[in-house]
Amino acid sequence: MSKALNGVRILDFTHVQSGPTCTQLLAWLGADVIKVERPGEGDATRGQLRDIPGADSLYFTMLNHNKRSVTINTKKPEGKGVLDDLIRHCDVLVENFAPGALDRMGYTWEHINELNPRMIVASVKGFGPGPYEDCKVYENVAQCAGGSASTTGFDDGPPMVTGAQIGDSGTGLHLALGIVAALFQRTSSGRGQKVLAPMQDAVLNLCRVKLRDQQRLERTHTMHEYPQYPDGKFGEAVPRAGNASGGGQPGAILKCKGWETDPNAYIYFITQAAVWPAVCKVIGEEGWITDDAYATPQARLLHLKPIFRRIEEWTMTKTKFEAMDILNKYDIPCGPILSMKEIAEEPALRATGTIVEVDHPVRGKYLTVGNPIKLSDSATEVTRSPLLGEHTEDVLGQLGYSSEAIAKLRAAGAV
């Protein structure tokens, strides 16, 4: 079966998480991703958080599937010559170096454009143009600068970062979309272009509902769906909302049977207006259906805390899965709090390729996340991450280098 991005060659100059997330997704969609690494060292994450001595870490393997690895020493003139040839033959160069690093290597936009006017140069940076554009940024910094941390957590506690890697992986996903758009535009323009995805911008895009709420707060000085209403006070900025849904349907995380010993024995419960009568019947409070204090969504906003306390009395008598089975019969929106162990063992996620078992020649079998995007005409096969420099000779051979030429490059320390 043909792949969606068959024929697209990606020159992958990325490392750690944000860039590799982007290029791995493009590889899953069928692009030929050539990961460029330093001889003898490679991507720093090959050795970070290592759980098996001498084996590439899960940090590396889970971000670099379906790629080919070549080693090039760009400090050697011969190595730069090889890189020039790769740029001439590839469609996209993706990088997430520190600001200015690519220019200092001699690979300015002008030089790349001269080598290949159709080349798309895609970059992850911490910040876009402005006072912080030269600053180095990591995951949690991006979450803080993008507005996520200030709006996450509980009102009586400090700002919180989330376990979801919205700064790194979130930005990588945004960059991949930009690359695909630039490739599409090139079909009509014939030209390459620069694609930039700042991490601050990507996090803010994922937090857009909080920017929405900032404007609502400035206009009305209150927000009824936030837990600070009706008893607490609102300041000038959007507050932390705990586990409130952030939308028009009130929601909360509630204890389930076994919560005393299981830290994930909880369920997320949404009191959607359309199913309010069903909620009342399930928890044994049929009187609330007609009671003026509870009968309308607006009236219930004044009583959300006691409402959820009463619902929790019911959920605590059920396991999270028992509660799910009952609530789904009435179309009451809910979801179990699933641990990573439960997710890893879920057969349905294995069946859809969302969780995949991969065999690695050094570390053996391990679990990884598969392609979250499912195309009906382009199925994804997740292949293992490459060993350092595993495909150097193959790639150079495709560029027209002879065995003798490759041997000379090795002798010169260029590859």
Side-chain angles (χ1 to χ4, degrees):
M1 184 181 290
S2 176
K3 301 291 184 181
L5 294 182
N6 265 358
V8 175
R9 287 196 188 96
I10 309 289
L11 190 55
D12 183 358
F13 251 109
T14 71
H15 58 289
V16 191
Q17 186 179 164
S18 59
T21 296
C22 168
T23 52
Q24 178 172 258
L25 180 58
L26 298 173
W28 280 339
L29 295 174
D32 178 15
V33 175
I34 302 168
K35 185 177 180 71
V36 178
E37 302 185 77
R38 288 180 293 181
E41 297 181 42
D43 190 318
T45 58
R46 285 185 182 271
Q48 286 183 3
L49 306 178
R50 186 174 271 159
D51 58 318
I52 298 176
D56 288 334
S57 71
L58 287 167
Y59 196 6
F60 176 84
T61 59
M62 294 177 70
L63 287 162
N64 290 282
H65 294 107
N66 295 58
K67 302 179 185 181
R68 297 195 288 169
S69 170
V70 300
T71 51
I72 301 176
N73 185 352
T74 57
K75 294 182 179 180
K76 301 279 187 178
E78 299 91 340
K80 285 198 170 184
V82 173
L83 184 53
D84 285 354
D85 284 339
L86 279 168
I87 290 172
R88 293 187 185 99
H89 286 84
C90 289
D91 299 286
V92 185
L93 186 153
V94 188
E95 61 92 15
N96 63 329
F97 290 127
L102 202 61
D103 289 353
R104 291 191 293 272
M105 290 169 57
Y107 286 92
T108 62
W109 164 251
E110 292 74 20
H111 177 62
I112 294 171
N113 195 244
E114 183 180 344
L115 291 171
N116 183 353
R118 291 174 57 82
M119 172 67 81
I120 293 159
V121 177
S123 303
V124 170
K125 291 291 175 275
F127 295 94
Y132 304 116
E133 62 183 303
D134 294 328
C135 296
K136 232 179 183 179
V137 171
Y138 290 89
E139 171 67 45
N140 290 352
V141 175
Q143 289 193 30
C144 293
S148 174
S150 70
T151 57
T152 301
F154 289 91
D155 198 36
D156 58 353
M160 293 283 289
V161 296
T162 174
Q165 303 288 280
I166 61 175
D168 277 325
S169 288
T171 305
L173 297 175
H174 282 81
L175 187 66
L177 177 58
I179 289 168
V180 172
L183 286 168
F184 182 78
Q185 186 172 13
R186 194 180 70 175
T187 62
S188 58
S189 71
R191 301 194 313 272
Q193 62 180 296
K194 292 185 283 186
V195 180
L196 173 65
M199 295 172 73
Q200 182 186 40
D201 298 31
V203 171
L204 177 57
N205 186 42
L206 297 173
C207 293
R208 66 176 64 190
V209 296
K210 299 301 182 179
L211 183 59
R212 172 203 69 190
D213 290 348
Q214 180 63 36
Q215 296 170 85
R216 293 172 57 225
L217 179 63
E218 289 172 0
R219 187 167 290 113
T220 66
H221 309 293
T222 185
M223 291 183 290
H224 292 180
E225 77 283 3
Y226 273 62
Q228 289 78 5
Y229 178 83
D231 306 318
K233 293 182 179 180
F234 287 89
E236 295 182 343
V238 173
R240 292 181 275 286
N243 291 316
S245 69
Q249 308 295 339
I253 290 180
L254 306 178
K255 297 171 182 174
C256 290
K257 188 176 182 179
W259 68 271
E260 299 92 342
T261 55
D262 180 356
N264 296 299
Y266 290 81
I267 192 169
Y268 198 90
F269 194 112
I270 297 175
T271 56
Q272 186 182 26
V275 294
W276 175 247
V279 171
C280 296
K281 291 175 183 176
V282 166
I283 66 172
E285 294 288 353
E286 288 89 342
W288 284 359
I289 298 174
T290 55
D291 189 326
D292 288 343
Y294 301 96
T296 67
Q298 196 63 31
R300 289 195 290 276
L301 289 174
L302 293 168
H303 308 286
L304 285 182
K305 293 182 180 69
I307 286 172
F308 280 119
R309 280 198 296 270
R310 176 63 186 92
I311 296 172
E312 190 173 56
E313 290 177 11
W314 178 83
T315 60
M316 288 172 64
T317 67
K318 315 290 181 188
T319 69
K320 59 189 175 185
F321 298 112
E322 290 170 345
M324 277 281 293
D325 289 341
I326 295 170
L327 297 172
N328 280 321
K329 291 176 183 177
Y330 297 93
D331 290 329
I332 298 171
C334 60
I337 308 304
L338 295 179
S339 69
M340 279 296 155
K341 179 176 173 58
E342 289 169 317
I343 289 172
E345 295 173 352
E346 173 53 56
L349 295 178
R350 303 284 187 101
T352 59
T354 301
I355 296 287
V356 181
E357 186 175 74
V358 178
D359 198 2
H360 189 276
V362 180
R363 69 175 302 112
K365 293 184 184 297
Y366 66 95
L367 291 183
T368 189
V369 176
N371 189 353
I373 300 171
K374 321 296 186 188
L375 301 182
S376 62
D377 283 359
S378 183
T380 299
E381 178 188 359
V382 177
T383 60
R384 68 167 176 84
S385 60
L387 303 177
L388 179 60
E390 180 178 353
H391 303 96
T392 301
E393 293 191 13
D394 290 344
V395 171
L396 294 185
Q398 290 174 351
L399 293 177
Y401 285 76
S402 66
S403 300
E404 292 77 12
I406 295 173
K408 288 181 180 178
L409 288 169
R410 289 199 182 281
V415 297

